[in-house]
Amino acid sequence: MGTTLNPDPGVRVKVSVIASRAPPLSCQYPGMTVIETAIASVRARQVLDSRGNPTVEVDVRLADGSLGRAAVPSGASTGAAEAVELRDGDPERFHGKGVATAVGNAAGVLADAVRGLDAVDQAGVDAALIACDGTPDKGRLGANAILGVSLATAKAAAAAQGKPLYRYLNPAATRLPLPMINIVNGGAHADNPLDFQEFMVAPIGATSLFEAVRIGSEVFHTLRRALATAGHNTNVGDEGGFAPQFTTAGEALAFVTEAIAAAGYEPGTDVAICLDPAASEFYKGGVYEYAGEGVSRSVAEHIDHLADLLRRYPIVSIEDPMAQDDIEGWRALTERAGAATQLVGDDVFCTDARRLQAGIDGGYANAILVKVNQVGTLTEALTTVDVARKAGYRVVMSHRSGETEDTTIADLAVATGCGQIKTGSVSRSDRTAKYNRLIRIEEELGGRAEFTTAY
């Protein structure tokens, strides 16, 4: 038995295997065939995310020495059906948010389950991880532990082949995603009264990823000046957008629309607006409680309110416009606005192919937000993307509010050719790391790079 390499100081977590126990290649029996991409060792540690909370980071090393490393993101506004993120609950360490147990599981029982498997067989590795946990929601060992091993395995396999992750996952990948750039935060991502969680700009008139980022940056800084001039603070929220003391969506949308124009762009033609109300957060007792506005809206009134915003502002996409358990509301809004507006299911689908299929069959939403930590393995996330694509649903690859410098989702957006990405604002290095990764990928692709807007 051994201990994890970096649990919370003072806590020793017993596990059955750690990286140092991996046998060297010289220990192979004479005549044995060595699979160079076999998983030789798994290490795990606690690192900090963008909110200063611990999260799981995993290293997977292969028999040929190739290394893959992945850090797992964490959400604040979470769907009820998400895979379970395992936290220690010890109030004496990280205020109960430690992940030493998940780290021990990654380096212990999960390492045992995958050691010796061929990393190139991602589906086989992920199946072994799922079977090892044995629960529908990955709550026994933790989706954060499982996902860390899953993503690190893919990155190790890519390293073994000398390829970037996007190219390893899809040799034909050439499409860069249109970014949805967060510039105003509210809801669970800020301390202001704003009920809606995210207000984003999508540079739909851009002709390249780099130009889209440039335009987003210009609008962001123009909005900063406008907020300061109007007497608002310009501090940023969890995802890098500003968090002024707005109380209504209309107030935020007016500022954003004016900033687009002031930056020299045509609202709705050069730059469109995307919303994430995160409606599950304020749906209570069958009504939508707008605490910031001090009003309650019935389902029908809430839909009317969204329709009014769509009429008044250049909004092309709304994520989680209805609560995750307000299925009739979802159907009604989809019938009313779905032909002209992208309606993205996040909490209602939780990156789960079965839940997505229910939406497809039930006629609600027309797009899905994909967050790998909602479902817990890379294979399951890619399966969900495939189900969406076959049904004609659009796909948006997404970060979480608690992020790290890990840029895996940038590669996944390119590998899947999904065409859209949410990775926060053009501030905070945990967010800009993803944009910078996409800029580098666009440069690597050169003349093969494709950038087309999804609207």
Side-chain angles (χ1 to χ4, degrees), residues 309-390:
L309 295 177
L310 286 168
R311 179 184 59 80
R312 293 164 55 199
Y313 300 101
I315 300 166
V316 296
S317 178
I318 309 180
E319 175 190 331
D320 279 355
M322 312 303 294
Q324 59 196 347
D325 51 357
D326 182 13
I327 300 303
E328 289 307 312
W330 264 106
R331 288 195 181 99
L333 180 64
T334 302
E335 183 176 347
R336 180 168 176 177
T341 307
Q342 178 172 269
L343 301 176
V344 186
D346 177 14
D347 292 346
V348 72
F349 294 144
C350 287
T351 314
D352 186 304
R354 291 164 297 185
R355 295 178 67 86
L356 171 60
Q357 190 61 56
I360 294 166
D361 296 340
Y364 53 90
N366 54 29
I368 182 172
L369 200 74
V370 170
K371 299 171 175 174
V372 287
N373 81 318
Q374 280 185 326
V375 67
T377 68
L378 176 58
T379 298
E380 290 169 292
L382 295 179
T383 297
T384 300
V385 171
D386 189 53
V387 170
R389 180 171 285 120
K390 289 178 179 176

XYZ file of all heavy atoms in Angstrom, residues 309-390:
622
model
N -37.333 40.154 -25.250
C -35.897 40.428 -25.355
C -35.376 40.057 -26.730
O -34.536 40.774 -27.308
C -35.136 39.658 -24.269
C -35.430 40.051 -22.812
C -34.652 39.154 -21.856
C -35.106 41.519 -22.560
N -35.860 38.952 -27.282
C -35.456 38.540 -28.631
C -35.873 39.586 -29.662
O -35.153 39.822 -30.652
C -36.075 37.184 -28.974
C -35.472 35.954 -28.295
C -36.358 34.733 -28.500
C -34.069 35.680 -28.832
N -37.017 40.183 -29.449
C -37.508 41.196 -30.391
C -36.704 42.487 -30.307
O -36.436 43.127 -31.337
C -38.988 41.483 -30.080
C -39.626 42.540 -30.976
C -41.059 42.831 -30.544
N -41.140 43.299 -29.155
C -40.890 44.550 -28.780
N -40.538 45.470 -29.672
N -41.009 44.893 -27.500
N -36.272 42.844 -29.109
C -35.635 44.148 -28.903
C -34.132 44.152 -29.125
O -33.550 45.216 -29.404
C -35.949 44.635 -27.478
C -37.412 44.956 -27.249
C -37.728 45.053 -25.752
N -36.861 46.007 -25.061
C -36.676 46.019 -23.747
N -37.268 45.097 -22.978
N -35.887 46.921 -23.198
N -33.484 42.999 -28.978
C -32.026 42.961 -29.039
C -31.547 41.877 -30.013
O -32.275 40.913 -30.285
C -31.454 42.694 -27.635
C -31.834 43.754 -26.633
C -32.869 43.529 -25.720
C -31.196 44.992 -26.624
C -33.241 44.510 -24.806
C -31.561 45.973 -25.723
C -32.587 45.736 -24.819
O -32.961 46.716 -23.928
N -30.314 42.008 -30.527
C -29.804 41.063 -31.528
C -29.317 39.747 -30.911
O -28.133 39.387 -30.983
C -28.662 41.840 -32.180
C -28.136 42.715 -31.082
C -29.358 43.126 -30.300
N -30.241 39.013 -30.303
C -29.924 37.766 -29.608
C -30.114 36.601 -30.571
O -31.161 36.469 -31.203
C -30.841 37.578 -28.381
C -30.654 38.733 -27.400
C -30.574 36.241 -27.705
C -31.750 38.808 -26.336
N -29.100 35.759 -30.692
C -29.180 34.616 -31.609
C -29.199 33.280 -30.888
O -29.520 32.254 -31.486
C -28.014 34.628 -32.625
C -28.101 35.858 -33.527
C -26.656 34.568 -31.911
N -28.853 33.260 -29.605
C -28.763 31.999 -28.865
C -29.124 32.231 -27.405
O -28.694 33.226 -26.807
C -27.342 31.432 -28.966
O -27.206 30.234 -28.226
N -29.930 31.311 -26.851
C -30.247 31.358 -25.422
C -30.016 29.965 -24.833
O -30.613 28.988 -25.277
C -31.705 31.773 -25.144
C -32.077 33.046 -25.895
C -31.896 31.987 -23.646
C -33.505 33.511 -25.649
N -29.157 29.907 -23.854
C -28.863 28.656 -23.150
C -29.723 28.571 -21.892
O -29.885 29.566 -21.176
C -27.382 28.629 -22.786
C -26.933 27.452 -21.951
C -25.521 27.637 -21.431
O -24.721 28.324 -22.103
O -25.216 27.108 -20.345
N -30.236 27.400 -21.631
C -31.077 27.175 -20.448
C -32.091 28.296 -20.244
O -32.187 28.885 -19.156
C -30.212 27.007 -19.197
C -29.642 25.593 -19.079
O -29.992 24.735 -19.918
O -28.855 25.344 -18.152
N -32.898 28.586 -21.277
C -33.934 29.609 -21.109
C -35.044 29.161 -20.181
O -35.738 29.984 -19.585
C -34.456 29.796 -22.536
C -34.212 28.469 -23.203
C -32.914 27.981 -22.620
N -35.212 27.835 -20.071
C -36.220 27.259 -19.193
C -35.525 26.351 -18.192
O -34.410 25.870 -18.423
C -37.257 26.454 -19.985
C -37.825 27.170 -21.201
S -38.611 28.770 -20.842
C -40.018 28.258 -19.844
N -36.181 26.102 -17.063
C -35.598 25.254 -16.027
C -35.503 23.809 -16.499
O -36.240 23.364 -17.381
C -36.435 25.337 -14.759
N -34.590 23.064 -15.878
C -34.333 21.693 -16.296
C -35.539 20.770 -16.137
O -35.663 19.776 -16.868
C -33.151 21.129 -15.520
C -33.329 21.106 -14.016
C -32.031 20.905 -13.269
O -31.009 20.557 -13.832
N -32.054 21.140 -11.956
N -36.439 21.081 -15.209
C -37.612 20.235 -15.022
C -38.904 20.888 -15.521
O -39.996 20.372 -15.282
C -37.766 19.819 -13.552
C -37.719 20.986 -12.584
O -37.504 22.121 -13.037
O -37.888 20.758 -11.378
N -38.767 21.988 -16.245
C -39.920 22.631 -16.867
C -39.986 22.203 -18.343
O -39.779 23.009 -19.257
C -39.816 24.153 -16.735
C -41.018 24.887 -17.333
O -42.035 24.229 -17.618
O -40.913 26.118 -17.514
N -40.278 20.931 -18.557
C -40.245 20.380 -19.905
C -41.337 20.977 -20.776
O -41.123 21.261 -21.964
C -40.356 18.841 -19.864
C -39.191 18.247 -19.054
C -40.346 18.268 -21.276
C -37.816 18.630 -19.554
N -42.521 21.195 -20.220
C -43.598 21.802 -21.002
C -43.213 23.218 -21.421
O -43.538 23.650 -22.540
C -44.903 21.795 -20.207
C -45.515 20.413 -20.048
C -45.692 19.693 -21.383
O -46.216 20.320 -22.336
O -45.300 18.516 -21.478
N -42.530 23.946 -20.525
C -42.049 25.269 -20.884
C -41.023 25.216 -22.005
O -41.034 26.035 -22.934
N -40.134 24.233 -21.930
C -39.151 24.029 -22.996
C -39.845 23.800 -24.335
O -39.465 24.378 -25.365
C -38.267 22.822 -22.669
C -36.964 23.128 -22.020
C -36.617 22.929 -20.715
C -35.795 23.669 -22.648
N -35.318 23.316 -20.493
C -34.786 23.768 -21.660
C -35.500 24.076 -23.945
C -33.507 24.262 -21.933
C -34.233 24.568 -24.235
C -33.258 24.662 -23.230
N -40.860 22.930 -24.331
C -41.567 22.635 -25.583
C -42.247 23.890 -26.139
O -42.198 24.165 -27.348
C -42.611 21.545 -25.346
C -42.045 20.156 -25.129
C -43.129 19.098 -25.274
N -42.594 17.770 -25.033
C -42.699 17.107 -23.880
N -43.348 17.666 -22.856
N -42.189 15.908 -23.741
N -42.865 24.646 -25.244
C -43.582 25.843 -25.679
C -42.632 26.874 -26.275
O -42.922 27.482 -27.329
C -44.356 26.447 -24.503
N -41.491 27.093 -25.626
C -40.534 28.062 -26.142
C -39.917 27.581 -27.454
O -39.721 28.374 -28.385
C -39.429 28.322 -25.108
C -38.358 29.326 -25.550
C -38.964 30.707 -25.764
C -37.222 29.394 -24.531
N -39.606 26.296 -27.538
C -39.021 25.760 -28.767
C -39.978 25.941 -29.935
O -39.579 26.320 -31.042
C -38.676 24.272 -28.591
O -37.772 24.126 -27.487
C -38.021 23.717 -29.845
N -41.257 25.683 -29.701
C -42.253 25.852 -30.758
C -42.380 27.321 -31.158
O -42.555 27.647 -32.340
C -43.603 25.331 -30.276
C -44.699 25.389 -31.341
C -46.005 24.778 -30.875
O -46.005 24.084 -29.834
O -47.023 24.989 -31.562
N -42.241 28.192 -30.181
C -42.426 29.620 -30.456
C -41.193 30.277 -31.071
O -41.318 31.099 -31.993
C -42.785 30.333 -29.156
C -43.016 31.838 -29.305
C -43.641 32.395 -28.065
N -43.810 33.836 -28.112
C -44.400 34.552 -27.152
N -44.902 33.944 -26.088
N -44.501 35.865 -27.262
N -39.998 29.931 -30.577
C -38.797 30.668 -30.992
C -37.718 29.808 -31.628
O -36.735 30.337 -32.157
C -38.203 31.407 -29.785
N -37.885 28.488 -31.590
C -36.795 27.607 -32.001
C -36.406 27.669 -33.455
O -35.273 27.341 -33.817
N -37.307 28.101 -34.329
C -36.969 28.168 -35.746
C -35.983 29.290 -36.043
O -35.198 29.204 -36.993
C -38.238 28.357 -36.574
N -36.018 30.348 -35.231
C -35.165 31.506 -35.487
C -34.045 31.676 -34.473
O -33.109 32.442 -34.716
C -36.031 32.775 -35.486
N -34.126 30.968 -33.355
C -33.169 31.166 -32.268
C -32.574 29.830 -31.837
O -33.289 28.833 -31.737
C -33.859 31.815 -31.052
O -34.531 33.007 -31.469
C -32.854 32.156 -29.961
N -31.285 29.820 -31.575
C -30.646 28.629 -31.023
C -31.021 28.521 -29.552
O -30.762 29.431 -28.771
C -29.127 28.726 -31.180
C -28.382 27.548 -30.589
C -26.897 27.575 -30.918
O -26.457 27.026 -31.904
N -26.114 28.251 -30.075
N -31.629 27.417 -29.179
C -32.021 27.167 -27.794
C -31.174 26.021 -27.270
O -31.358 24.863 -27.666
C -33.512 26.830 -27.718
C -34.457 27.909 -28.270
C -35.905 27.421 -28.242
C -34.310 29.221 -27.501
N -30.251 26.343 -26.384
C -29.217 25.407 -25.956
C -29.578 24.764 -24.627
O -29.791 25.453 -23.632
C -27.853 26.128 -25.821
C -26.750 25.123 -25.509
C -27.531 26.912 -27.087
N -29.619 23.439 -24.595
C -29.878 22.723 -23.367
C -28.601 22.398 -22.623
O -27.718 21.732 -23.167
N -28.502 22.877 -21.398
C -27.364 22.567 -20.537
C -27.863 21.700 -19.382
O -27.749 20.482 -19.409
C -26.725 23.856 -20.041
C -25.569 23.609 -19.059
O -25.091 22.462 -18.977
O -25.155 24.564 -18.371
N -28.480 22.306 -18.378
C -28.969 21.552 -17.221
C -29.960 20.460 -17.617
O -29.998 19.392 -17.002
C -29.642 22.490 -16.220
C -28.662 23.435 -15.538
O -27.441 23.196 -15.640
O -29.117 24.409 -14.917
N -30.753 20.723 -18.641
C -31.779 19.766 -19.030
C -31.186 18.508 -19.655
O -31.781 17.430 -19.613
C -32.812 20.431 -19.986
C -32.206 20.679 -21.355
C -34.087 19.611 -20.069
N -29.976 18.612 -20.234
C -29.338 17.476 -20.898
C -28.123 16.932 -20.139
O -27.854 15.732 -20.160
C -28.910 17.859 -22.315
C -30.045 18.163 -23.246
C -29.927 19.169 -24.206
C -31.242 17.466 -23.171
C -30.964 19.451 -25.080
C -32.294 17.745 -24.034
C -32.157 18.738 -24.986
N -27.342 17.815 -19.507
C -26.166 17.419 -18.729
C -25.204 16.534 -19.535
O -24.604 15.588 -18.997
C -26.586 16.707 -17.445
S -27.289 17.824 -16.224
N -25.056 16.820 -20.822
C -24.116 16.113 -21.699
C -24.388 14.608 -21.729
O -23.516 13.819 -22.046
C -22.652 16.406 -21.290
O -22.492 17.816 -21.063
C -21.673 16.033 -22.394
N -25.600 14.213 -21.400
C -25.979 12.808 -21.344
C -26.742 12.450 -22.618
O -27.779 13.049 -22.914
C -26.860 12.570 -20.113
C -27.191 11.110 -19.888
O -27.736 10.477 -20.815
O -26.929 10.610 -18.780
N -26.240 11.461 -23.366
C -26.849 11.107 -24.644
C -28.302 10.670 -24.489
O -29.145 10.960 -25.347
C -26.037 10.004 -25.320
N -28.615 9.993 -23.392
C -29.987 9.536 -23.182
C -30.924 10.708 -22.901
O -32.058 10.749 -23.405
C -30.034 8.531 -22.037
C -29.359 7.198 -22.352
C -29.096 6.409 -21.099
N -28.160 7.109 -20.221
C -27.673 6.595 -19.089
N -28.047 5.394 -18.693
N -26.828 7.285 -18.343
N -30.483 11.644 -22.113
C -31.301 12.825 -21.837
C -31.455 13.664 -23.109
O -32.529 14.228 -23.365
C -30.686 13.652 -20.711
C -30.663 12.927 -19.370
C -29.991 13.765 -18.287
N -30.775 14.944 -17.975
C -31.778 14.973 -17.090
N -32.119 13.877 -16.432
N -32.439 16.093 -16.858
N -30.402 13.755 -23.891
C -30.487 14.472 -25.152
C -31.500 13.801 -26.077
O -32.311 14.480 -26.723
C -29.115 14.526 -25.826
C -29.098 15.075 -27.259
C -29.634 16.500 -27.316
C -27.688 15.003 -27.834
N -31.459 12.482 -26.137
C -32.401 11.773 -26.998
C -33.840 12.040 -26.572
O -34.745 12.149 -27.409
C -32.117 10.272 -26.970
C -32.878 9.476 -28.022
C -32.525 9.900 -29.433
O -31.357 9.881 -29.822
N -33.521 10.287 -30.220
N -34.058 12.167 -25.271
C -35.398 12.498 -24.781
C -35.831 13.867 -25.302
O -37.009 14.072 -25.646
C -35.421 12.479 -23.259
N -34.899 14.816 -25.357
C -35.209 16.136 -25.900
C -35.488 16.095 -27.387
O -36.401 16.771 -27.886
N -34.701 15.302 -28.094
C -34.906 15.150 -29.533
C -36.290 14.552 -29.799
O -37.060 15.052 -30.622
C -33.806 14.258 -30.135
C -32.439 14.966 -30.020
C -34.113 13.906 -31.581
C -31.258 14.060 -30.269
N -36.597 13.481 -29.067
C -37.891 12.818 -29.240
C -39.048 13.689 -28.765
O -40.149 13.644 -29.319
C -37.911 11.491 -28.472
C -36.906 10.484 -29.010
O -36.476 10.634 -30.173
O -36.545 9.553 -28.253
N -38.796 14.490 -27.721
C -39.849 15.311 -27.134
C -40.035 16.661 -27.790
O -40.952 17.407 -27.430
N -39.148 17.025 -28.713
C -39.308 18.267 -29.447
C -38.957 19.517 -28.676
O -39.598 20.553 -28.850
N -37.942 19.443 -27.815
C -37.532 20.661 -27.124
C -36.035 20.895 -27.253
O -35.251 19.966 -27.337
C -37.946 20.664 -25.657
C -37.537 19.471 -24.820
C -36.322 19.458 -24.147
C -38.381 18.374 -24.684
C -35.954 18.378 -23.358
C -38.033 17.297 -23.898
C -36.819 17.297 -23.238
O -36.450 16.221 -22.456
N -35.670 22.191 -27.317
C -34.302 22.663 -27.586
C -33.921 22.315 -29.027
O -34.607 21.561 -29.719
C -33.289 22.088 -26.605
N -32.822 22.895 -29.484
C -32.285 22.545 -30.801
C -30.765 22.541 -30.793
O -30.129 22.483 -31.840
C -32.830 23.482 -31.891
C -32.595 24.959 -31.580
O -31.638 25.327 -30.899
N -33.488 25.817 -32.069
N -30.198 22.602 -29.588
C -28.746 22.584 -29.435
C -28.413 22.072 -28.042
O -29.264 22.073 -27.147
C -28.156 23.980 -29.645
N -27.177 21.648 -27.858
C -26.737 21.125 -26.561
C -25.399 21.730 -26.181
O -24.525 21.936 -27.037
C -26.641 19.587 -26.573
C -26.225 19.065 -25.177
C -25.692 19.090 -27.661
C -26.284 17.551 -25.048
N -25.254 22.027 -24.902
C -23.974 22.450 -24.347
C -23.246 21.196 -23.873
O -23.831 20.373 -23.161
C -24.189 23.397 -23.173
C -22.997 24.279 -22.797
C -22.836 25.393 -23.830
C -23.182 24.888 -21.415
N -21.997 21.047 -24.265
C -21.228 19.865 -23.890
C -20.144 20.263 -22.899
O -19.267 21.082 -23.194
C -20.599 19.190 -25.131
C -19.601 18.118 -24.726
C -21.696 18.589 -26.001
N -20.249 19.683 -21.688
C -19.253 19.882 -20.635
C -18.781 18.485 -20.223
O -19.564 17.701 -19.678
C -19.870 20.590 -19.430
C -20.425 21.976 -19.711
C -21.196 22.493 -18.498
C -21.673 23.915 -18.680
N -22.550 24.347 -17.555
N -17.518 18.187 -20.456
C -17.061 16.818 -20.226
C -17.232 16.383 -18.779
O -17.465 15.203 -18.506
C -15.597 16.633 -20.680
C -15.500 16.604 -22.196
C -14.688 17.719 -20.095
N -17.157 17.318 -17.838
C -17.263 16.877 -16.443
C -18.706 16.627 -16.011
O -18.955 16.082 -14.945
C -16.562 17.863 -15.496
C -17.400 19.072 -15.164
O -18.051 19.643 -16.026
N -17.370 19.485 -13.904
N -19.669 17.011 -16.848
C -21.060 16.691 -16.528
C -21.347 15.201 -16.657
O -22.215 14.666 -15.979
C -22.012 17.449 -17.458
C -22.264 18.878 -17.076
C -23.310 19.510 -17.962
O -23.412 19.215 -19.145
N -24.094 20.413 -17.400
N -20.616 14.537 -17.559
C -20.896 13.131 -17.831
C -19.777 12.225 -17.326
O -20.009 11.083 -16.960
C -21.170 12.914 -19.335
C -19.931 13.157 -20.170
C -21.771 11.553 -19.615
N -18.529 12.710 -17.309
C -17.476 12.019 -16.587
C -16.412 11.277 -17.366
O -15.377 10.934 -16.809
N -16.641 11.002 -18.669
C -15.574 10.407 -19.487
C -15.586 11.044 -20.868
O -16.627 11.533 -21.338
C -15.723 8.875 -19.656
O -16.878 8.596 -20.441
C -15.784 8.170 -18.319
N -14.449 10.994 -21.534
C -14.342 11.546 -22.879
C -15.235 10.785 -23.849
O -15.913 11.388 -24.683
C -12.888 11.505 -23.340
C -12.616 11.975 -24.776
C -13.085 13.404 -24.986
C -11.127 11.839 -25.100
N -15.249 9.460 -23.749
C -16.057 8.664 -24.668
C -17.528 9.032 -24.591
O -18.202 9.181 -25.624
C -15.879 7.162 -24.371
O -14.509 6.803 -24.574
C -16.752 6.314 -25.278
N -18.054 9.193 -23.384
C -19.462 9.545 -23.234
C -19.755 10.928 -23.816
O -20.803 11.138 -24.443
C -19.854 9.495 -21.764
C -19.901 8.091 -21.191
C -20.030 8.103 -19.681
O -19.062 8.530 -19.011
O -21.088 7.697 -19.176
N -18.847 11.870 -23.630
C -19.044 13.208 -24.179
C -19.061 13.167 -25.708
O -19.902 13.804 -26.354
C -17.950 14.151 -23.684
N -18.143 12.412 -26.299
C -18.085 12.316 -27.754
C -19.305 11.590 -28.304
O -19.800 11.911 -29.399
C -16.803 11.610 -28.186
C -15.498 12.357 -27.867
C -14.293 11.540 -28.320
C -15.478 13.740 -28.512
N -19.815 10.622 -27.565
C -21.045 9.933 -27.970
C -22.207 10.911 -28.012
O -23.035 10.897 -28.939
C -21.367 8.775 -27.006
O -20.320 7.809 -27.079
C -22.687 8.113 -27.357
N -22.299 11.777 -27.019
C -23.359 12.776 -26.976
C -23.265 13.730 -28.165
O -24.285 14.085 -28.776
C -23.303 13.554 -25.650
O -23.467 12.641 -24.568
C -24.378 14.622 -25.588
N -22.051 14.154 -28.489
C -21.854 15.013 -29.666
C -22.367 14.310 -30.919
O -23.039 14.914 -31.768
C -20.364 15.393 -29.825
C -20.127 16.094 -31.160
C -19.909 16.282 -28.679
N -22.076 13.031 -31.050
C -22.502 12.268 -32.214
C -24.027 12.176 -32.297
O -24.613 12.329 -33.369
C -21.888 10.870 -32.166
C -22.102 10.092 -33.457
O -21.758 10.628 -34.533
O -22.605 8.956 -33.395
N -24.676 11.930 -31.161
C -26.141 11.871 -31.132
C -26.732 13.213 -31.556
O -27.693 13.278 -32.339
C -26.648 11.477 -29.726
C -28.153 11.650 -29.617
C -26.250 10.044 -29.405
N -26.162 14.308 -31.053
C -26.646 15.643 -31.408
C -26.494 15.903 -32.892
O -27.425 16.385 -33.561
C -25.897 16.703 -30.597
N -25.333 15.586 -33.401
C -25.061 15.843 -34.821
C -26.025 15.071 -35.723
O -26.553 15.611 -36.701
C -23.610 15.488 -35.139
C -23.218 15.713 -36.575
C -21.729 15.566 -36.775
N -21.007 16.722 -36.267
C -20.091 16.675 -35.305
N -19.794 15.528 -34.733
N -19.471 17.757 -34.924
N -26.284 13.831 -35.401
C -27.176 13.012 -36.220
C -28.606 13.532 -36.196
O -29.364 13.332 -37.151
C -27.125 11.560 -35.744
C -25.816 10.855 -36.084
C -25.780 9.438 -35.546
C -24.477 8.753 -35.926
N -24.368 7.387 -35.333
